[in-house]
Amino acid sequence: MAPAPIALNTAAQTDSQILQSRPDRQPLPPLLGGSLAELTQWVKDQGQPAYRAKQLHQWIYERGARSLMDITVFPKNWREAAADIPIGRSELHHRSESHDGTVKFLLKMTDGQIVETVGIPTRDRLTVCVSSQVGCAMACDFCATGKGGFVRNLSRSEILDQVLTVQEDFDRRVSNVVFMGMGEPLHNPAAVLSATRSLNQDIGIGKRYITISTVGIPGRIRQLANERLQATLAVSLHAPNQEIRESIVPSAAQYPIEELIEDCRDYAAETGRRVTFEYILLAGVNDSRDCAAELAELLRGFQAHVNLIPYNPIAEVDYQRPDPMRVRDFMQTLDDRRVAVSVRRTRGLESDAACGQLRANLGKTTGKIGRFGGDRRR
């Protein structure tokens, strides 16, 4: 039985009602993620003049303040009195840089859990691949993150922190954000949508330069269309038919591919935005010309783009990367049938290129990756 859809219009209430008063026994919510209006109300509740909110907003989103003590334009006595109120920044646990300039970060949250995020630079843009959960419950058979299981959702501030971390490391403004890291974004809709709005309104990233990726959760794509975000929807399809999809994406059993595609058609019609379909090519599984022809037929008649991703192997399973000629043949078959298609160029550390693999591998050797560390077999 499909899970009941979660209402998406609660996004502004993430991070535990971020700037509202809470009982003393509860952890204080972080300020990161608060809009200028929310921060203004919070500053006034603290007995400070309203103009302090603009200063606070600037120091959080532009100057990277990690503590209220860092904000030297504030009176010292107020900073000291409010020192326990967290901004919401993580601790850098590990950083790895590839020869092509891609940087992978492992970030430690306040509860000790580790999430992975990636900064991908080109001459014209800086893209951040963000995680939305610690682990993932979808258990896709080829995915390193899915092999580790699910721990918890990330909050709005924990998502935004990833973007600010990359921006500070590169000393360059982030231009694009893709929710394609650890986790299923539409299993954490309130925080993801709230973070998406803050990325646009507070950090200044264009709405159309934000991509939300999903394997597909019944009911959620239709709800996402109602949000009118103008973000790009990317659907992790990975197969041209239900049989193959169920064999590699277990959750597909609750969401038949025909229903998923129909929801995507409705999304494109309602939003005027084309849908991107992520398609990982697994050698001998879904990379044949027949699969490409079947995929083209499935996607006929609406705005769609296929992003082919040659597989990055992981140790836990036997799937292999397809031969480059089969990738070209697959792409040509789609192109011949007038399906917009591109091939994603592999970026990042070749030994840990798959999403979640750096986190998993480092956990095996250091024993520091939350419950996934040490001798836990995956």
Side-chain angles (χ1 to χ4, degrees):
M1 183 175 180
I6 295 176
L8 302 189
N9 59 7
T10 60
Q13 299 178 351
T14 57
D15 277 332
S16 303
Q17 304 290 339
I18 183 167
L19 299 177
Q20 296 182 18
S21 60
R22 302 181 65 185
D24 291 340
R25 68 181 183 274
Q26 297 293 332
L28 291 168
L31 298 174
L32 177 59
S35 66
L36 182 57
E38 290 174 309
L39 293 176
T40 298
Q41 184 59 54
W42 180 80
V43 164
K44 292 164 74 173
D45 289 344
Q46 297 292 309
Q48 296 294 317
Y51 71 84
R52 294 285 186 206
K54 290 185 178 179
Q55 296 172 326
L56 179 59
H57 190 275
Q58 181 184 36
W59 277 76
I60 290 175
Y61 294 107
E62 297 180 28
R63 304 189 65 169
R66 291 179 170 269
S67 165
L68 287 178
M69 292 299 293
D70 295 337
I71 307 178
T72 55
V73 295
F74 286 174
K76 185 177 180 181
N77 62 344
W78 181 41
R79 283 186 283 149
E80 292 175 346
D84 291 338
I85 296 173
I87 296 292
R89 300 304 306 276
S90 65
E91 174 187 337
L92 179 63
H93 180 74
H94 183 79
R95 180 186 186 277
S96 297
E97 184 169 354
S98 174
H99 71 279
D100 64 7
T102 298
V103 180
K104 282 198 170 188
F105 304 85
L106 296 183
L107 303 178
K108 182 182 288 187
M109 306 293 104
T110 56
D111 63 355
Q113 294 294 341
I114 303 294
V115 299
E116 183 173 309
T117 192
V118 186
I120 308 168
T122 64
R123 184 182 64 181
D124 300 324
R125 66 179 63 178
L126 174 58
T127 300
V128 183
C129 181
V130 298
S131 296
S132 57
Q133 297 179 312
V134 181
C136 184
M138 303 307 288
C140 297
D141 197 39
F142 50 81
C143 177
T145 300
K147 295 298 179 183
F150 171 75
V151 179
R152 67 171 176 85
N153 287 329
L154 294 181
S155 67
R156 171 171 66 176
S157 63
E158 289 171 330
I159 294 170
L160 297 173
D161 168 72
Q162 297 173 61
V163 177
L164 294 183
T165 295
V166 173
Q167 191 158 270
E168 292 161 7
D169 186 87
F170 281 85
D171 192 23
R172 175 180 170 187
R173 289 194 65 82
V174 168
S175 59
N176 298 68
V177 172
V178 293
F179 283 85
M180 294 182 182
M182 296 164 50
E184 163 54 59
L186 294 189
H187 265 167
N188 185 18
V192 166
L193 295 180
S194 183
T196 296
R197 293 187 176 94
S198 187
L199 287 170
N200 173 243
Q201 296 169 11
D202 301 306
I203 298 179
I205 298 170
K207 294 178 182 178
R208 297 194 173 210
Y209 296 94
I210 300 170
T211 297
I212 298 174
S213 177
T214 179
V215 172
I217 310 298
R220 302 287 169 82
I221 291 174
R222 292 181 181 274
Q223 289 180 307
L224 190 61
N226 293 336
E227 293 293 313
R228 305 285 182 178
L229 293 176
Q230 289 300 300
T232 297
L233 172 65
V235 175
S236 297
L237 191 62
H238 309 318
N241 58 54
Q242 183 68 10
E243 181 180 4
I244 295 177
R245 193 162 196 263
E246 277 194 43
S247 72
I248 57 178
V249 181
S251 64
Q254 284 76 49
Y255 200 3
I257 196 168
E258 293 80 9
E259 294 181 16
L260 171 61
I261 296 302
E262 188 61 31
D263 286 347
C264 291
R265 290 179 185 275
D266 290 345
Y267 180 93
E270 187 164 339
T271 65
R273 303 277 286 154
R274 76 177 184 181
V275 177
T276 294
F277 290 95
E278 306 285 336
Y279 193 104
I280 290 181
L281 289 165
L282 305 168
V285 177
N286 63 354
D287 64 337
S288 68
R289 289 183 178 180
D290 287 345
C291 282
E294 191 174 2
L295 178 63
E297 184 65 25
L298 183 70
L299 301 182
R300 176 176 293 180
F302 74 108
Q303 297 182 73
H305 176 268
V306 176
N307 189 9
L308 299 177
I309 309 167
Y311 182 61
N312 287 310
I314 63 174
E316 291 88 341
V317 292
D318 294 329
Y319 296 119
Q320 297 299 317
R321 190 180 183 91
D323 181 87
M325 181 60 72
R326 287 181 73 86
V327 176
R328 287 194 292 269
D329 286 347
F330 198 102
M331 182 176 182
Q332 188 62 54
T333 301
L334 291 177
D335 188 61
D336 289 345
R337 287 160 174 76
R338 298 185 178 181
V339 175
V341 59
S342 59
V343 177
R344 182 185 298 175
R345 183 166 67 92
T346 299
R347 296 291 303 269
L349 300 174
E350 288 75 10
S351 60
D352 291 309
C355 176
Q357 194 169 2
L358 175 62
R359 174 180 178 273
N361 289 346
L362 194 65
K364 292 176 184 177
T365 58
T366 68
K368 295 181 180 180
I369 310 300
R371 73 171 201 176
F372 296 127
D375 295 330
R376 178 181 171 93
R377 295 182 63 84
R378 289 174 291 283

